[in-house]
Amino acid sequence: MRFPLKICIAAIFSAWLVLLLLTTVSAIAQNSAPGTHVFRFDGGNASYVFGVNERGELQTLYWGGRIGARDSLPAAHSNPEAASFDSPYTTTPQEYAGWGAGLFTEPALKVSFADGNRDLVLHFVRATPNGSQSLDVLLKDISREIYVTLRYSIDPESGVLARSAIIENKEKQPVTIEQAAAAQWTLPPARYTLSYLTGRWAGEWTLNQEPIIGGARVIESRRGSTGHQANPWFAISRDASQSSTGPVVADEEHGEVWFGALAWSGSWRISVERDQLDSVRVTGGFNPFDFGDKLKPGEKLETPIFYGAYSDHGLGGASRLLHHFEIAHILPQAPDPKPRPVIYNSWEATEFNVDEPSQVALAEKAASIGVDRFVMDDGWFGQRKNDHAGLGDWYVNAEKFPHGLKPLIDKVHALGMDFGLWVEPEMVNPDSDLYRKHPDWVLNFPGRPRSESRNQLVLNLARADVRDYVEGFLDKLLTENDIAFLKWDYNRNWAEPGWDEVPRDEQKRVYVEFIRNLYSILGDLRKKHPKVEIESCSGGGGRVDLGILRYTDEVWPSDNTDPFDRLAMQDGFSYAYTPQIMMAWVTDSPHWGNGRTTSLAYRMLSSMQGSLGIGANLNRWSAEDFSTAKRLIAAYHSVQRTIVRGDLFRLISPRDGSEFSSTETVSNDKNQAVVFAFAHSTQKGRGFPLLQLQGLEPDAEYKLSWIEGKARPGTPASASGAWWMRHGLQLELRGDFQAAAFRLDRER
C-alpha cells in the first residue's frame, strides 16, 4: 500500500521496495479531500482502478489490460447531467450505488427504513488494507446509520478480482434490505457482445451470444437454487472493428473479454445494462424477486462473492484463466486438487432394485476394466423401492442389506476401488417416517397446497432443527461406514417458500439462510471427514456455481448422457467451469433420451474430455465392450492430468449444427497435448477439416501417439510444435458418429 507522504525515511524505502516488486494492490490517497482518492489493483494481465469523486461517491475509473506501474492514475469526477432527466448520480458509474437521489439505473442496494423512507445515498468513509492483495472500503448513507463494507481481493496470477459487500444496520430501528448486489462492474462506451449460458433439464449449457443494446438483459434464477435454466456466469467481448457486414467480434482466441461468475447457490440475478451514456453496467447478487432481509439494529447481511476478470486472448483465454483460478483457489483441495477417480455408478443397471448381490456383481465387472471408485445410487435406504417413498429416512434397508453396508464396502475395497453412495439430504417424501413425524419441516405456506415434484417436498434447511437433523444423519452415515464419496443430489426446485416458524416480516430470509446452512453442513462434514469427497448433483446442472464448488469436488452437468448431445453441452460448460469438475458418463446405446445408437469408442471419447465415469449396465456388455473400455480407461489414466488440468483450446465448435468438433488440451509445462475429434457425419466425399493445433512450444519436437483412430498417410510420427500448429494434420475420419483421439508428447 502507498499512503500520504507523512511518513518516515524507512517507510519511504518500504514503499519504494513495494513499487519495485510490483505489488498486486496499491491504494493511493493523495490527500484527504474528496475527489482525490484513487485505488488500483494489478494482477495477471489486468488492472482495476476506482476512486472517490468530488461528490463523495465511489466511482469506477478503469478495468482492462494492465497499465504501466508509473502511469498516472486519473482522479474521479462525476459525469455531467444528461439533460434534466438523468442527474450525475445516474450517469456516473458507481462501484456500489444505493437506490436514491434519482437513480434510474440498476441499484446495488435498496433499503426500506422503519419510518417509510427508502432513499439511500452511499458516500466514501475510508479504505482499510487487508493484506497485500485485499482492500476493505467503507461507505455510509449521507444521514442514516447504514454502513456498507466493500471487499476487494485480487489473485496476482490470474487477475481475477473477488468483490462482495457487508451491509450493517446501526439505526435504532430495523431496516429491510429489498435488494443487495455483491458488486457492480462498469465498462466504457463501445460496441460489445454478451455471452451467457442457458438451458433446461437434459439440455443445459447452451452458449448464447448477442449484441448489448439499449436497455437491460436479465439473467436469473428464482428457483431457490442455481437452476438449469441459466447459470451465474457472463462474458462481454469488445467488438474489435466495423466492416461492411457489421461488427467484428472478439473470437475464441483474439480480442478483449471481460467476464465474471457469481458464487451463490440460491436464487440469483445478473443484470447487464447499457445506460444513458452507453456505458455497460453489470450488477449481480441475490435475486430481489420475493426478497426481503430484515436487519435488526447491529445485524449484518453479507453478500456472495462476485468474481470478475479480463482477458485479451478472447473467450478461450478467458475460460483458461477461470479454469486455473477455480483449481488454484475455489475447489476444496486447492491449490492442487487431485484428478477425479474414474467411477462406476450402478443407477442404469439396477435403478431402485439395489441389493448386496447385484452390487457385488457390478463391482466385480467395474474393477475388471480399471475403475477407481464404485458408487451405489438410489434405493439403498428406508422403504425406498421407487421414487414415491423413503426420502428422509436415512437408515440402511435391512431387507436389501441384511448385514448393513459393510460387506459390500469391504468387497469393493478388496477389488481395489473405493466406495461412494448416493444421497438426497434436502428432500423428503410425504410417504416417509420423517414427514409423518415432522410435516412442519418442509417449505410451505400454512393452509395452502404443498406442491410435489418427483413425489417429494423440500425440507426447510433454514430451520436450525432441520439443519441439525441433516448434518446429524450424514455424520452418522460417514462415521459408521468407510465411505469415500457422496453423490449429493437435489431433484426439484422450491415451491411455497414459506417459513412460518419466524415472524412474518422475517420469513423471506429463507432465501439466504437456507443456502448459508447448506454451506455450513457441507463445511462441517468436510472438517469431520476430510477424506470424503462430494459431488454436487441437481438432476444434472441445476446447482453448479462457484459457491457450491468451495465445498464439492465435482459436479454432474446433465442427466443427458447422450454422447453427441454432450459435445455441445460440455463445450458450453467449459466456458465457465474447468473440465476437472465435469463428470462425464459412458452409458448404454441406444440412448434412452434420443434413441441414438453410437459405438462404445465414440461414447468413451466423448466422456474422456472431462472426468470420466461409467454408468452403463455392465451386465449387458460383450467381451469386446469390456476389452475396449479397459484399453481406453488405461489410455485415459495416462493423460488425465493433462485433460483436466491443462490449457483447453476449442479447435472446432460443436455448436450451431456443426458436423464436426474438436478439443485440444495442453499441459501447463507444454510437454503433452491431448486432442479429441468428432464427426457427426461426413458428406459428399468430404473428410474431416484440417486440424491446426494451438498452445504448443514451436521449437519443441512432439511425438504423435494414437488413442483411437488414425491420420491420413504421410503424417509424420514426430514433428515440431510449429509443424503441428501451422501445417496441421488431417484425420481419416469418415461416416456417422465417428471419433478419434491422439496425444503429442514432447521429445526434446
Side-chain angles (χ1 to χ4, degrees):
M1 295 293 174
R2 198 174 76 185
F3 289 102
L5 298 177
K6 299 178 180 178
I7 49 179
C8 64
I9 297 299
I12 293 174
F13 176 78
S14 176
W16 172 82
L17 183 61
V18 168
L19 180 62
L20 182 65
L21 295 176
L22 296 178
T23 183
T24 56
V25 183
S26 61
I28 302 154
Q30 294 162 321
N31 58 53
S32 59
T36 56
H37 298 279
V38 176
F39 307 96
R40 170 176 166 173
F41 289 83
D42 293 307
N45 192 37
S47 295
Y48 190 88
V49 187
F50 59 94
V52 183
N53 65 29
E54 72 281 2
R55 297 161 56 91
E57 300 153 353
L58 201 63
Q59 179 178 340
T60 307
L61 295 177
Y62 176 80
W63 184 23
R66 189 161 183 160
I67 55 179
R70 291 183 172 82
D71 287 341
S72 60
L73 302 174
H77 292 289
S78 60
N79 284 344
E81 179 179 270
S84 60
F85 294 95
D86 292 304
S87 70
Y89 192 73
T90 282
T91 62
T92 299
Q94 297 188 53
E95 286 284 284
Y96 202 84
W99 187 75
L103 182 75
F104 296 109
T105 53
E106 186 75 16
L109 183 62
K110 187 176 185 296
V111 173
S112 284
F113 293 91
D115 60 2
N117 173 56
R118 301 190 304 281
D119 187 70
L120 184 73
V121 179
L122 298 172
H123 280 185
F124 173 80
V125 177
R126 62 176 177 270
T128 306
N130 186 10
S132 64
Q133 300 162 9
S134 302
L135 185 72
D136 290 350
V137 179
L138 182 65
L139 309 179
K140 179 189 175 299
D141 180 67
I142 54 176
S143 64
R144 298 296 185 105
E145 295 297 304
I146 296 295
Y147 293 80
V148 179
T149 299
L150 302 182
R151 291 194 159 172
Y152 296 80
S153 180
I154 197 165
D155 173 36
E157 297 299 322
S158 64
V160 174
L161 188 65
R163 295 182 56 187
S164 62
I166 300 173
I167 302 141
E168 184 175 6
N169 176 27
K170 293 187 179 181
E171 291 273 292
K172 295 181 179 179
Q173 298 293 325
V175 301
T176 299
I177 309 300
E178 298 178 346
Q179 185 168 340
Q184 293 185 297
W185 310 90
T186 302
L187 296 175
R191 292 178 182 265
Y192 296 104
T193 295
L194 172 67
S195 299
Y196 58 101
L197 296 164
T198 60
R200 54 179 172 78
W201 176 80
E204 300 90 331
W205 311 109
T206 298
L207 183 69
N208 303 271
Q209 295 182 303
E210 61 191 41
I212 298 178
I213 58 177
R217 160 65 71 183
V218 173
I219 314 163
E220 66 175 353
S221 171
R222 300 181 177 186
R223 296 167 176 264
S225 64
T226 319
H228 301 73
Q229 290 68 26
N231 192 265
W233 168 89
F234 76 92
I236 295 175
S237 309
R238 189 197 297 270
D239 295 350
S241 64
Q242 300 298 306
S243 69
S244 59
T245 57
V248 178
V249 183
D251 62 16
E252 182 68 22
E253 294 299 329
H254 305 91
E256 292 188 292
V257 178
W258 294 260
F259 59 99
L262 185 65
W264 185 242
S265 307
S267 294
W268 58 273
R269 187 173 78 171
I270 295 174
S271 171
V272 181
E273 180 180 19
R274 191 181 187 102
D275 70 13
Q276 299 89 334
L277 300 183
D278 293 329
S279 295
V280 173
R281 307 189 190 193
V282 181
T283 304
F286 298 125
N287 195 319
F289 177 80
D290 198 39
F291 185 84
D293 203 304
K294 179 180 177 181
L295 294 186
K296 298 174 184 176
E299 287 188 333
K300 300 177 182 180
L301 173 64
E302 185 170 355
T303 73
I305 296 174
F306 199 177
Y307 295 95
Y310 165 86
S311 167
D312 59 1
H313 286 83
L315 286 166
S319 60
R320 289 189 290 274
L321 278 176
L322 195 49
H323 294 171
H324 289 303
F325 178 77
E326 289 162 354
I327 288 169
H329 298 284
I330 298 294
L331 297 180
Q333 299 178 34
D336 189 25
K338 67 180 183 181
R340 311 308 307 133
V342 174
I343 69 106
Y344 177 77
N345 183 285
S346 67
W347 172 252
E348 291 200 6
T350 55
E351 295 191 350
F352 296 102
N353 301 315
V354 298
D355 57 27
E356 187 176 320
S358 69
Q359 298 301 294
V360 167
L362 287 167
E364 290 173 341
K365 292 179 174 67
S368 74
I369 57 175
V371 163
D372 305 308
R373 171 172 290 164
F374 180 86
V375 181
M376 180 166 64
D377 212 279
D378 200 351
W380 60 268
F381 56 91
Q383 299 304 307
R384 188 72 164 171
K385 298 177 182 178
N386 50 46
D387 63 9
H388 290 262
L391 280 177
D393 302 337
W394 297 100
Y395 58 87
V396 178
N397 184 291
E399 180 181 349
K400 298 179 179 183
F401 299 92
H403 304 291
L405 297 178
K406 189 175 187 303
L408 173 60
I409 295 173
D410 288 346
K411 177 63 175 178
V412 168
H413 289 166
L415 291 167
M417 302 178 292
D418 64 27
F419 181 79
L421 198 63
W422 180 95
V423 293
E424 193 171 6
E426 299 149 86
M427 301 293 167
V428 63
N429 288 122
D431 185 4
S432 67
D433 295 339
L434 179 66
Y435 187 77
R436 285 184 282 271
K437 185 177 180 180
H438 293 292
D440 55 322
W441 276 15
V442 301
L443 292 173
N444 75 97
F445 292 125
R448 303 292 296 175
R450 301 184 176 195
S451 301
E452 296 180 23
S453 295
R454 200 176 181 253
N455 309 299
Q456 61 195 54
L457 298 166
V458 183
L459 290 171
N460 183 1
L461 211 60
R463 293 178 57 127
D465 47 5
V466 175
R467 182 218 171 280
D468 292 344
Y469 171 76
V470 170
E471 182 172 325
F473 79 69
L474 288 169
D475 182 34
K476 183 174 185 292
L477 180 67
L478 295 174
T479 299
E480 295 178 351
N481 300 279
D482 191 355
I483 296 170
F485 170 78
L486 291 178
K487 184 177 176 69
W488 186 304
D489 216 336
Y490 180 89
N491 274 311
R492 62 159 294 181
N493 296 131
W494 291 15
E496 298 91 43
W499 185 10
D500 65 329
E501 183 190 26
V502 299
R504 180 187 58 80
D505 58 355
E506 298 179 22
Q507 292 185 10
K508 291 181 180 180
R509 296 182 76 166
V510 67
Y511 287 101
V512 175
E513 295 306 314
F514 186 109
I515 306 303
R516 298 289 189 215
N517 280 347
L518 169 64
Y519 289 165
S520 71
I521 291 170
L522 289 165
D524 286 351
L525 290 174
R526 297 202 73 106
K527 289 177 183 177
K528 295 176 182 178
H529 308 278
K531 295 182 180 180
V532 174
E533 297 170 353
I534 302 173
E535 177 183 286
S536 175
C537 175
S538 179
R543 192 154 66 187
V544 182
D545 57 80
L546 295 190
I548 202 73
L549 284 176
R550 287 206 173 274
Y551 305 95
T552 57
D553 304 89
E554 62 188 51
V555 300
W556 181 233
S558 180
D559 279 350
N560 184 352
T561 55
D562 178 275
F564 177 70
D565 284 357
R566 283 296 290 253
L567 295 178
M569 289 192 287
Q570 291 172 178
D571 175 83
F573 181 95
S574 71
Y575 282 92
Y577 302 104
T578 168
Q580 163 89 8
I581 65 166
M582 183 180 73
M583 295 308 299
W585 287 7
V586 177
T587 56
D588 285 327
S589 180
H591 190 264
W592 57 264
N594 296 314
R596 181 180 289 123
T597 299
T598 52
S599 69
L600 180 57
Y602 183 93
R603 286 175 272 152
M604 292 282 293
L605 295 185
S606 175
S607 294
M608 285 165 62
Q609 293 174 101
S611 288
L612 177 62
I614 309 294
N617 185 352
L618 299 182
N619 296 322
R620 299 175 181 170
W621 275 20
S622 67
E624 183 182 358
D625 290 335
F626 281 99
S627 176
T628 297
K630 184 175 182 178
R631 173 176 60 83
L632 290 177
I633 288 175
Y636 176 76
H637 275 134
S638 70
V639 294
Q640 181 182 6
R641 189 173 181 88
T642 293
I643 292 170
V644 300
R645 298 286 294 273
D647 287 324
L648 174 66
F649 296 89
R650 292 175 282 261
L651 301 180
I652 303 176
S653 171
R655 300 190 307 275
D656 302 323
S658 172
E659 298 292 333
F660 309 105
S661 66
S662 180
T663 63
E664 174 197 10
T665 311
V666 181
S667 63
N668 296 327
D669 59 11
K670 298 184 182 296
N671 285 341
Q672 186 178 77
V674 183
V675 180
F676 295 92
F678 302 88
H680 174 277
S681 57
T682 54
Q683 302 178 57
K684 300 178 181 178
R686 297 188 180 97
F688 197 87
L690 176 71
L691 276 184
Q692 292 176 292
L693 307 188
Q694 299 183 44
L696 302 175
E697 195 69 51
D699 296 331
E701 195 80 7
Y702 291 91
K703 179 183 178 182
L704 171 65
S705 301
W706 285 95
I707 297 171
E708 185 77 12
K710 60 183 179 180
R712 287 189 179 178
T715 301
S718 183
S720 70
W723 195 95
W724 298 115
M725 291 189 291
R726 293 168 187 164
H727 181 281
L729 75 164
Q730 295 212 260
L731 307 178
E732 285 286 4
L733 203 60
R734 294 177 182 273
D736 298 333
F737 300 111
Q738 299 296 308
F742 61 88
R743 56 187 285 180
L744 294 176
D745 292 284
R746 186 170 183 167
E747 294 184 301
R748 53 184 173 84

